[in-house]
Amino acid sequence: MKRQLLKVDCVKEIAKEIYSMTLTGDCSEVTAPGQFINIHLDGFYLRRPISICSYETDSITILFKVVGEGTRALAKAEKGQCFDVLMPLGNGFDILKSGRKPLLAGGGIGVPPLYGLARVLVQKGVTPQVVMGFNTHEDIILTEEFRALGITPVIATADGSAGVKGFVTDAMKDLDFDYIYTCGPEPMLKAVYDKAPAGQFSFEARMACGFGACMGCTCETKYGYKRICKDGPVLYKEEIKW
């Protein structure tokens, strides 16, 4: 983990209240899809944890949804502005356990780290299936980016305005897979858990420090207590205790 300054290269709204931001600087320590950053915003006491969507040695792209004053301030950032960032944080996805037919299942703003995972898997010669769930068609993100990787994602919307009407698990019904990677809100993760033969689950949690010191995001697993920020955010199915 490093504390460093990253510079805004671009920021744009890509869906309703969802923004993409590319930050440049030394990003060479990012080693796995599913890791995240903790970004300081002037005027706010706590940093904001945001998952990394994709990464290169000299840049990262993050996607975030405006849900409060902090993310609203982040959305107003301008090109050339610098942010104090802690990175990389957390343990990302392990691609060595992907099986022969992996499925990536994401809900809402949980989709971006799965795009980064898909990039790495494709680079390794594995093309996964992808299912993405959103509330409505206005929330859909990264469809064209997945298609550029040779993946046509299956989309589900709760209101039926695009793709399958229903949830991620509804869109998974007819798919054949032997391993799952998933990220999204906890109710979605619980539903996916029952459908997954094996897999890795990326959890969201409220965090203060982001690197395991405050213990504020501790959760109980079958093998003891773990910190989502330090020991996660990715946990294996076999260790999860609801």
Side-chain angles (χ1 to χ4, degrees):
M1 178 191 73
K2 283 185 178 180
R3 178 183 177 185
Q4 58 184 316
L5 290 179
L6 295 184
K7 183 182 293 186
V8 176
D9 182 64
C10 68
V11 57
K12 58 183 178 181
E13 187 174 16
I14 60 171
K16 186 178 180 181
E17 297 284 9
I18 299 177
Y19 289 79
S20 171
M21 178 183 289
T22 299
L23 298 161
T24 59
D26 181 7
C27 302
S28 59
E29 291 196 9
V30 181
T31 57
Q35 291 182 299
F36 67 97
I37 66 172
N38 220 9
I39 187 167
H40 172 72
L41 302 171
D42 290 341
F44 296 88
Y45 179 67
L46 294 178
R47 293 173 180 264
R48 265 51 182 185
I50 300 177
S51 61
I52 297 170
C53 178
S54 61
Y55 57 93
E56 307 292 343
T57 57
D58 59 354
S59 69
I60 59 170
T61 297
I62 59 174
L63 270 62
F64 59 93
K65 184 178 181 67
V66 173
V67 295
E69 294 304 313
T71 45
R72 189 167 300 282
L74 185 60
K76 294 178 180 178
E78 298 180 351
K79 182 179 175 66
Q81 183 174 345
C82 290
F83 285 107
D84 180 326
V85 175
L86 294 178
M87 64 173 288
L89 298 173
N91 293 308
F93 294 108
D94 184 350
I95 65 169
L96 298 180
K97 299 181 182 296
S98 65
R100 294 181 300 105
K101 296 178 289 186
L103 172 67
L104 280 53
I109 206 64
V111 170
L114 296 179
Y115 169 70
L117 172 61
R119 287 184 68 200
V120 175
L121 288 172
V122 169
Q123 289 168 3
K124 298 296 183 181
V126 178
T127 301
Q129 298 178 89
V130 174
V131 172
M132 308 191 301
F134 304 95
N135 287 325
T136 181
H137 70 96
E138 294 181 325
D139 301 326
I140 296 174
I141 54 174
L142 295 174
T143 304
E144 294 306 317
E145 286 81 357
F146 276 111
R147 286 176 178 160
L149 296 176
I151 300 167
T152 300
V154 180
I155 294 172
T157 52
D159 66 357
S161 56
V164 177
K165 183 177 182 179
F167 305 108
V168 164
T169 47
D170 294 305
M172 290 168 49
K173 286 180 179 178
D174 298 323
L175 300 181
D176 181 26
F177 57 94
D178 59 9
Y179 199 84
I180 195 163
Y181 295 94
T182 184
C183 182
E186 189 166 307
M188 188 207 84
L189 297 183
K190 286 183 177 180
V192 170
Y193 181 91
D194 293 330
K195 309 291 184 182
Q200 297 171 42
F201 292 64
S202 181
F203 283 81
E204 301 171 350
R206 291 186 177 275
M207 299 177 187
C209 70
F211 49 86
C214 72
M215 310 296 287
C217 61
T218 301
C219 69
E220 186 179 4
T221 74
K222 293 178 182 177
Y223 309 122
Y225 287 92
K226 292 192 174 184
R227 298 156 295 180
I228 293 298
C229 69
K230 180 73 172 180
D231 306 307
V234 176
L235 300 178
Y236 290 91
K237 180 186 178 183
E238 59 265 27
E239 65 182 316
I240 296 170
K241 183 176 182 179
W242 296 114

